[in-house]
Amino acid sequence: MARNEQGELTSIWTPANVITCVRIVFIPIFMLLAAQARDAAGAIVSPAYSIGACVLYILLSLTDKLDGSLARSRNEITDFGKFLDPIADKLLVVSALLLLLDEGYVSIWVVFIILLREFLVSALRMVASAAGEVIAADALGKLKTAVTMVSLCGFYVAFALESVGVTPFTGWILNLSQVLIVVAVVLTVVSGIQYIWNARKIVFRV
């Protein structure tokens, strides 16, 4: 139990934090499945691994906001959760992007821009936190995250369908996923600029 008889938190191992840790543990498993599904030439050699990677990534994506919502609904917000949850979110996106980069489905600039924005926002949050300020995620940032996750899931759905020979759908799903990742990059840049603008009084404070 994470609470004592008085209802006070006595442990960091709340249900929300357990979910966050499970997500992080399963990210390398997703990467292993996705990597083993293809040979050095990029051809799918294991439908089971490809389907497994797809299902696992979708499940991990669906739990992206579950831990945070659970912590708030149960009033079990902890510093450990605040620290770990953003890391899990970023690892989930970066792991898929690195695999797609290695296979040639996304440009290195896509990865660079997304990583740059995440580093900048993380740095701004630390500066704001040190100043006793909180800069909440806005609607544009949430939209960016949603579009990114849908795009990345789309790639792995296409790979899974291709692995079992359902080829009529793979082409347009891949094309749609590539369009969405471009949209995600645009939203990444715009939301990053907006985030910096909202934090300007903190960052440029004398």
Side-chain angles (χ1 to χ4, degrees):
M1 296 292 291
R3 294 183 182 273
N4 59 21
E5 294 180 356
Q6 288 73 39
E8 300 170 333
L9 283 175
T10 58
S11 171
I12 62 171
W13 298 113
T14 63
N17 288 344
V18 170
I19 291 174
T20 302
C21 291
V22 169
R23 287 170 58 209
I24 292 175
V25 168
F26 274 93
I27 288 172
I29 297 175
F30 151 71
M31 296 183 72
L32 182 62
L33 290 173
Q36 292 298 315
R38 294 176 177 270
D39 60 18
I44 293 177
V45 294
S46 175
Y49 284 154
S50 185
I51 293 171
C54 173
V55 171
L56 183 55
Y57 196 78
I58 290 174
L59 289 175
L60 292 174
S61 299
L62 290 175
T63 60
D64 180 38
K65 299 302 178 184
L66 177 61
D67 41 11
S69 299
L70 188 61
R72 288 188 293 272
S73 66
R74 293 170 58 92
N75 194 26
E76 293 179 342
I77 298 174
T78 64
D79 290 336
F80 180 72
K82 292 178 183 178
F83 164 75
L84 205 61
D85 184 57
I87 292 177
D89 295 344
K90 290 172 177 58
L91 283 176
L92 188 59
V93 171
V94 171
S95 62
L97 284 174
L98 290 177
L99 287 166
L100 293 171
L101 175 63
D102 184 57
E103 296 167 358
Y105 286 97
V106 298
S107 163
I108 192 171
W109 290 107
V110 169
V111 180
F112 175 76
I113 291 171
I114 290 176
L115 285 179
L116 177 62
R117 190 264 187 192
E118 296 302 333
F119 281 130
L120 286 174
V121 169
S122 295
L124 286 173
R125 282 178 175 157
M126 285 190 291
V127 171
S129 178
E133 303 280 350
V134 175
I135 306 175
D138 55 22
L140 195 59
K142 293 177 180 178
L143 178 62
K144 178 269 302 179
T145 300
V147 173
T148 302
M149 297 309 300
V150 170
S151 172
L152 295 176
C153 287
F155 280 107
Y156 287 97
V157 168
F159 298 156
L161 291 176
E162 181 186 359
S163 71
V164 293
V166 187
T167 54
F169 299 100
T170 57
W172 70 265
I173 293 177
L174 278 176
N175 290 336
L176 177 60
S177 298
Q178 288 171 332
V179 169
L180 286 177
I181 202 68
V182 172
V183 173
V185 169
V186 173
L187 291 173
T188 294
V189 173
V190 175
S191 66
I193 293 172
Q194 184 180 57
Y195 203 99
I196 294 171
W197 177 256
N198 292 340
R200 68 191 184 281
K201 292 181 181 179
I202 300 171
V203 176
F204 300 107
R205 177 182 298 168
V206 177

